[in-house]
Amino acid sequence: MKILVVEDEAKTGNYLKQGLSEAGFVVDLAREGFDGMHLALTDSYDLAILDVMLPGIDGWQVLQGIRGAGKEMPVLFLTARDHVDDRVKGLEMGADDYLVKPFAFSELLARVRTLLRRGGKAKESDVLRAADLELDLMRRRVTRGERKIDLTAKEFLLLELLLRRQGEVLPRSLIASQVWDMNFDSDTNVIEVAVRRLRAKIDDGFEQKLIRTVRGMGYVLDTDAQ
Ligand code: CA
């Protein structure tokens, strides 16, 4: 899942980006209001975290732009000012939740997960399945049959992508942009290695193999594989 963070304080912004990435999200960080608005309107996000006081346009205006464009992703706003007025204003303007700075990262993560769970799209698909493989998005848990499978954050994202688009052959360029947030022209076999590791964890020891390579095209997860 992809999260937009708009925060001008370098320390807070980097801390959010790092923490959320480690928790398995793909994160774009904008440090200024106009950039944040531009990203929110041109890219697609599952959630946005907006600081209120920003250079350029402030968090309220970014929020207005997002809602004005009909984007319905959940929005969590961060405010340094512990004023009831701010909170009411934010919620009235279409924010879904707020957090007063300074906050504990665990608190932020809990709010983020709750918002994603509530957000319409995530609702029906909290658990993704293929055969006896299950990926629980909210509990960050993967099981195959009775076996619990430990994945790294990137492996989890990769499996989530394969499951969401199961039956479709996914080119490496798409996997690179969705999971690593990078362009594929970088000369790297990081995807190959990650898929190999993921496959070992998911398929080794099971008769039915779920992930396969389609030579020259990419990777697919389906339940027809041999
Ligand atoms: Ca600020």
Coordinates of all heavy atoms in Angstrom, one line a residue, residues 7-9 51-54 101, ligand 1:
E7 N 5.3 16.8 4.8 CA 5.8 17.3 6.1 C 7.1 18.1 5.8 O 8.0 17.5 5.1 CB 6.1 16.1 7.0 CG 7.0 16.3 8.2 CD 6.4 17.3 9.2 OE1 5.6 16.9 10.0 OE2 6.7 18.5 9.1
D8 N 7.2 19.3 6.2 CA 8.4 20.1 5.9 C 9.5 20.0 6.9 O 10.6 20.3 6.6 CB 8.0 21.6 5.8 CG 7.4 22.1 7.1 OD1 6.5 21.4 7.7 OD2 7.8 23.2 7.6
E9 N 9.2 19.5 8.1 CA 10.3 19.3 9.1 C 11.1 18.1 8.7 O 10.6 17.0 8.7 CB 9.8 19.1 10.5 CG 9.5 20.3 11.3 CD 8.7 19.9 12.5 OE1 9.1 18.9 13.2 OE2 7.7 20.5 12.8
D51 N 0.9 17.4 7.3 CA 1.2 18.4 8.3 C 0.3 19.6 8.0 O 0.0 19.9 6.9 CB 2.7 18.7 8.3 CG 3.1 19.6 9.4 OD1 2.5 19.6 10.5 OD2 4.1 20.4 9.2
V52 N 0.0 20.3 9.1 CA -0.9 21.5 8.8 C 0.0 22.7 8.4 O -0.3 23.3 7.3 CB -1.7 21.9 10.1 CG1 -2.4 23.2 9.9 CG2 -2.7 20.8 10.5
M53 N 1.0 23.0 9.1 CA 1.9 24.2 8.8 C 2.9 23.8 7.8 O 3.9 23.1 8.1 CB 2.5 24.7 10.0 CG 1.6 25.1 11.1 SD 0.4 26.4 10.6 CE 1.5 27.8 10.6
L54 N 2.7 24.3 6.5 CA 3.7 23.9 5.5 C 4.0 25.1 4.7 O 3.2 26.1 4.6 CB 3.0 22.9 4.5 CG 2.6 21.5 5.0 CD1 1.7 20.8 3.9 CD2 3.9 20.7 5.1
K101 N 1.4 16.6 17.5 CA 2.8 16.4 17.7 C 3.2 16.9 19.1 O 2.7 17.9 19.5 CB 3.6 17.3 16.6 CG 3.3 16.8 15.2 CD 4.4 17.4 14.4 CE 4.0 18.0 13.1 NZ 5.0 18.6 12.3
Ligands
CA1 CA 5.3 22.0 9.5

